[in-house]
Amino acid sequence: MGKSESVKPTAEQIGQLREMFMTKLQSEKPSCGEFHPKDLERVKTNDMWLGKFLDQVDFNFTEASNMLWNTLNWRKNYGANEMDESKIRMDYIETGALFAHNKDVDGKTLLLVRSKNHVKGSKDMNELIKILVYWIERIQRETNYDKLTLFFDMQGAGLANMDLEFVKKIIETFKLYYPSAINYIVIFEMAWVLNAAFKIIKGLLPPKAVEIMKFLNTKTIKECVDADNSLKAWGGNDDYTFKFVPEKRMENNNSSNVNNNYVTFADTTKMKTEEVEDLYHSGQPQLLHHHEIGSGGDAEKMLRITPCDLIVFAKKDGEAEITGTVEICCIGRENITYKIKTTSPEKFLVRPSSGILQPGTSAKIHVTLQKSHTLVDINKDKFLVMSTYLPENMDVHASHNQITELWKSKNGSSPRVENHRLKCCSSVHDNATNPADGMKADSRIYRSDDEGGVEMKSPSEGLMVQLLENNKRLEKHMKRSQIFQVLTILALIVLITLQIYTNYDEIFVSGSSSKSSEL
């Protein structure tokens, strides 16, 4: 397969790492309070799991111990052990953008990222990562912590589907919290216009991950996935259509036989459609459907914003104004009030800039670029959406002045204020825009015309956003070039036809005269 084999840690090395961790635990309290009992049990008994940490950092015991400590902190805070269908967005799951199915040639489970089923900015990034963690945890439970193959199916995907932030988050999650968990990283049928984007992603990977990355197509996929495990769309024999089957978990204190506690992917693949339906409906209803209000995943959140991190400015047909739109939805159990700030209040008109939302209701926020301003440096402009619970003494029909007065006493760092930061980009080509400007990091602060500033962190994604914009323009330019080439060829054919038709009589007459002379 061309993959370098890693050296397996010895029992003595694993014991040394375990002793370092337990010694630290006796003298230092975790930031999460207490580690999860299941994770502590794994540290004490699962040599294979500890060995993955050593392998990840090339047997640097200090780094392995720190990574193990940080991973257990994260797992407790994130709720990784409790991650099940009640904690994730089932409407996101059912899009089929991220799921597990079949095996690679080494028998490792394929975790598929089907890019064409995902549109950048259309979903909450935190919820997407929860789904990722859910699948990783589920696969590891069913395979006793065996490796998996991360399969990016780029077939049919375009620039709108290429979400660099999502890919980056996926890689970071594995890199930080799931050591040595990946068998291969497969990039399947990637369009050439996305090459530059994946060069950035490749730069985020550690050297070991670069070694296991494979760029495959329908002719070379057999290097990683055989015909029986390949979907028909990949040129294989499997006519599988994604349908989510909930994990069937049973309490069993015998941890030595992990696979007996779950319905595995291999089991569900062999089931008939009717059996899958029965399994789906036999589960507890609260584990099968996500409720936005009061769900485990969103209980502490106030707002969901779509798109979650970006305002795209564009011109509507027949209109001169350049506008961007986001939708905010109250996903908590209480009434909330929101306020929107920007780094450039002189450039934008925000309607509405503040308001009140009741549970389950939403509002569309329209952001218009003032006519006296252009798209120059728009990638540097940022927005901050703040929300907080509505005070008991304020009615849901409170006036604009009352809401303004309330927000004068609050900012992004105030207690019980939730912040959502949005970047800006444009789908409108503006000759005055300098692409290089969008690649510079800025450290500007949020401000508004009636309140003080709120400090924000310098963005690290400007390069990615600008790259996508440049690729989009390049793709449009190529399409225009292809159309021009086709029209040129057609025009040439027409000209040749006309030339032949025009000279036909002359050629025919001269030919006949020549023959008569010979006679």
Side-chain angles (χ1 to χ4, degrees), residues 489-504:
I489 292 171
L490 290 175
L492 185 60
I493 293 173
V494 171
L495 286 173
I496 293 173
T497 304
L498 288 173
Q499 186 70 24
I500 293 173
Y501 179 79
T502 302
N503 298 328
Y504 177 78

Side-chain angles (χ1 to χ4, degrees), residues 424-439:
C424 297
C425 72
S426 171
S427 63
V428 181
H429 180 66
D430 190 331
N431 293 328
T433 302
N434 181 6
D437 291 340
M439 300 183 186

Side-chain angles (χ1 to χ4, degrees), residues 165-207:
E165 183 182 0
F166 185 32
V167 176
K168 180 182 176 183
K169 291 285 187 183
I170 291 174
I171 291 172
E172 285 180 347
T173 301
F174 276 104
K175 183 178 177 180
L176 296 175
Y177 309 120
Y178 294 96
S180 300
I182 300 179
N183 193 45
Y184 286 107
I185 300 174
V186 176
I187 316 298
F188 179 71
E189 290 285 359
M190 185 180 69
W192 70 268
V193 294
L194 301 178
N195 283 339
F198 259 90
K199 283 184 180 179
I200 293 178
I201 297 301
K202 196 172 181 180
L204 301 173
L205 296 171

